[in-house]
Amino acid sequence: MTLIKNLLDKVGETEQASSQKKSTKAEGYKRPIIFIPGITGSELFSIDEKYVDDFERSTGMISKDKEGFAKRIWIPLVNDVGEINQELNINNELYGLQEGDLRNSRIFDRHTGPASANAVLLNALLLKFPDRPIYQFSYDWRKTNTLTCKKLDSFIKSINHGGKVKVDIVAHSMGGIVSAHYLREHDKRVEKYVSLCTPYEGAPHAYNQMSSGNIFGNFKDIVLEKLFGVEKDVVYAYDGLVELYPTTKMLKAYPYQWVKDKKAFDKLVSKKYKNYEDLITQLHDLNAAEDIKPSKVQKEIKNYLGFTRYEEFLRKAKNYRKYKSFLHNVSLLNRPKSMFIVADGTQTQVSGCYMKDENDKIITRELVTKEGDGLVPLYSACMGYKLDEMPKELRKKFKVFKGTHPGMLMDLRALDSVCKFLKD
């Protein structure tokens, strides 16, 4: 990482020095590039409202000069359980820091998310497009993506010179869901669109893990819950995570299973499988499990969320689909000047199962194959298609790389594809 930083910084200084010679007027009407990160790239800060002006409030962004008043709370910095849960509560107004056009600051010195997850991608954009404004749109990932969409609209209006210039959008993960909402309503304001590893048809792990009170479903959650005392009810309130739940198409293509023979089931799922079909065939041949209809899984989800919240989830999932139907494709699947980067070959939860424990209580578990990037199933990132079943015209829009969900933000092949596509 240090080597990449040094090389990019050195080249970046030369590129930026050259770009400064261009006239302000010429720069002002260059098409901006906006990067919209996923959950792990959107830092959250709390700040006293008296420091927030109307523009910052409307966009959900805090200017650089206010940074000293903002308290970072992505990973809790204190051990007071009550204070932590209050700060992470969904009703709080939290912000991602945004400093405007990134050409005005060195990327590796900026707040760009935990572990600077987006720095390599942003630097690649700066090096390839030194004469174009480049922004990172930060948002509160806990809240509904429809709200984030409205904030994105306000932000784009603030930089498109009264609609005289379109923007290009590059989005990662949940950022692609935000973009899908935005493009449904404001497609004419966007020229080119690129998404990386977006769960358009949801991610089964979001339901499995969140129903257990987790945010990421891994070691970080153990730290958050056990060490810092983040309450499950706090996580339960995050609409942004609910909107990542698997859709009907995902549940049909990769049906949940009811475990009939736990011993045989455990033995079979302990192995690694290239695809879900191989796993299910073996489970069914040994009568270890059987398919559960999507309607029954959705009933369990509805029981967990409650009727009102589940109906809201369905409505918002329909909002960015072609005919506003939960069963139809995402609208932007056929959008011109769009490219979709997906990752494959990493152990990923593509479905789940229900079984009874020793106390006769029903519990959920994950079912994993190598069809995805570790977090997002390939089928979901491809909007309800399997790559070999796609019409040729659609298949051309998809670039497939072997890698991981966060890895695509640093994968040189993926970044090269992004930059080539954005080039006029």
Side-chain angles (χ1 to χ4, degrees):
M1 189 67 180
T2 302
L3 178 60
I4 295 176
K5 174 184 184 302
N6 291 338
L7 288 173
L8 290 176
D9 279 351
K10 185 175 181 180
V11 177
E13 289 170 2
T14 302
E15 295 276 6
Q16 289 179 6
S18 175
S19 69
Q20 288 174 358
K21 296 179 181 180
K22 298 179 180 294
S23 70
T24 303
K25 182 177 180 180
E27 286 184 338
Y29 289 93
K30 290 287 186 177
R31 193 166 71 245
I33 299 173
I34 303 172
F35 174 63
I36 308 177
I39 291 175
T40 55
S42 294
E43 275 188 83
L44 296 181
F45 289 76
S46 63
I47 187 171
D48 191 318
E49 284 293 308
K50 69 182 181 183
Y51 296 114
V52 184
D53 60 33
D54 290 340
F55 175 77
E56 292 166 329
R57 190 174 290 107
S58 67
T59 60
M61 303 175 191
I62 303 301
S63 59
K64 186 175 182 180
D65 62 334
K66 308 284 183 64
E67 183 176 334
F69 301 111
K71 178 181 178 183
R72 180 182 179 185
I73 65 167
W74 174 267
I75 297 298
L77 299 179
V78 298
N79 293 316
D80 186 305
V81 174
E83 183 178 348
I84 291 302
N85 284 289
Q86 180 57 37
E87 287 183 331
L88 288 175
N89 188 286
I90 192 70
N91 294 320
N92 285 347
E93 289 298 324
L94 302 178
Y95 304 87
L97 293 193
Q98 220 284 355
E99 297 176 9
D101 187 345
L102 299 185
R103 294 176 299 172
N104 298 323
S105 64
R106 291 161 58 91
I107 287 297
F108 281 96
D109 295 334
R110 295 186 72 256
H111 288 291
T112 56
S116 298
N118 312 321
V120 175
L121 180 146
L122 291 171
N123 252 316
L125 295 176
L126 285 166
L127 297 181
K128 292 292 184 179
F129 308 103
D131 60 339
R132 293 177 61 182
I134 296 175
Y135 301 89
Q136 174 172 289
F137 176 72
S138 295
Y139 60 95
D140 187 341
W141 54 264
R142 304 168 309 162
K143 298 188 177 182
T144 173
N145 290 303
T146 54
L147 175 61
T148 302
C149 173
K150 292 179 181 179
K151 292 187 175 182
L152 175 62
D153 186 40
S154 296
F155 174 65
I156 289 178
K157 286 179 180 177
S158 74
I159 64 171
N160 69 0
H161 303 283
K164 294 178 182 178
V165 63
K166 292 185 177 183
V167 301
D168 289 345
I169 291 178
V170 179
H172 178 248
S173 194
M174 186 186 280
I177 302 297
V178 175
S179 301
H181 281 281
Y182 184 78
L183 290 166
R184 169 79 192 190
E185 303 298 327
H186 308 292
D187 185 75
K188 293 182 179 180
R189 295 175 187 167
V190 179
E191 182 73 8
K192 295 183 179 181
Y193 171 65
V194 183
S195 80
L196 300 92
C197 308
T198 294
Y200 293 105
E201 297 295 337
H205 90 89
Y207 165 54
N208 275 46
Q209 302 298 350
M210 190 176 171
S211 63
S212 301
N214 295 329
I215 299 176
F216 296 107
N218 56 25
F219 179 72
K220 290 181 181 178
D221 291 319
I222 297 174
V223 173
L224 286 172
E225 183 178 352
K226 302 300 182 183
L227 182 58
F228 296 110
V230 178
E231 298 171 358
K232 291 183 179 180
D233 286 346
V234 171
V235 179
Y236 168 83
Y238 294 171
D239 287 334
L241 296 185
V242 171
E243 290 165 28
L244 298 182
Y245 278 20
T247 65
T248 303
K249 292 179 73 173
M250 189 72 212
L251 295 173
K252 279 186 174 181
Y254 295 83
Y256 268 57
Q257 301 295 304
W258 174 256
V259 178
K260 300 169 67 177
D261 184 335
K262 186 176 183 301
K263 186 176 180 180
F265 177 88
D266 287 341
K267 183 177 180 180
L268 289 171
V269 299
S270 65
K271 302 175 183 179
K272 292 184 178 181
Y273 295 87
K274 185 177 181 180
N275 59 64
Y276 192 66
E277 187 176 345
D278 289 345
L279 170 58
I280 294 304
T281 298
Q282 294 201 41
L283 287 174
H284 289 184
D285 284 349
L286 290 179
N287 203 32
E290 63 183 10
D291 289 351
I292 301 176
K293 292 181 178 180
S295 59
K296 289 189 175 182
V297 179
Q298 289 169 328
K299 183 178 179 181
E300 290 295 327
I301 295 175
K302 182 163 64 174
N303 288 339
Y304 170 67
L305 291 175
F307 176 81
T308 301
R309 201 170 185 212
Y310 181 70
E311 289 296 307
E312 186 69 6
F313 156 62
L314 292 182
R315 185 184 68 78
K316 288 173 180 173
K318 293 175 184 177
N319 280 348
Y320 56 87
R321 296 179 186 279
K322 191 172 183 181
Y323 300 108
K324 291 206 171 183
S325 164
F326 198 40
L327 292 172
H328 282 90
N329 289 328
V330 175
S331 301
L332 55 81
L333 182 62
N334 294 288
R335 183 187 187 276
K337 297 185 179 180
S338 296
M339 182 176 74
F340 308 96
I341 292 178
V342 297
D344 193 19
T346 301
Q347 290 284 97
T348 306
Q349 181 184 344
V350 295
S351 187
C353 66
Y354 292 97
M355 67 174 68
K356 289 185 178 181
D357 64 12
E358 58 275 8
N359 298 317
D360 214 32
K361 179 183 178 182
I362 296 179
I363 59 175
T364 59
R365 278 179 53 181
E366 61 183 23
L367 290 177
V368 173
T369 67
K370 290 186 176 181
E371 299 169 277
D373 60 23
L375 285 178
V376 176
L378 185 63
Y379 183 83
S380 179
C382 292
M383 302 184 210
Y385 273 102
K386 293 188 177 180
L387 288 169
D388 57 358
E389 297 175 353
M390 275 187 182
K392 288 184 179 179
E393 288 306 307
L394 291 183
R395 181 64 182 83
K396 292 178 182 178
K397 296 175 179 286
F398 288 80
K399 302 289 184 182
V400 187
F401 301 101
K402 187 174 182 178
T404 65
H405 190 72
M408 285 301 102
L409 293 172
M410 296 175 279
D411 188 294
L412 296 182
R413 302 162 301 170
L415 299 184
D416 184 59
S417 295
V418 171
C419 291
K420 285 181 178 177
F421 181 76
L422 294 178
K423 189 175 181 180
D424 290 326

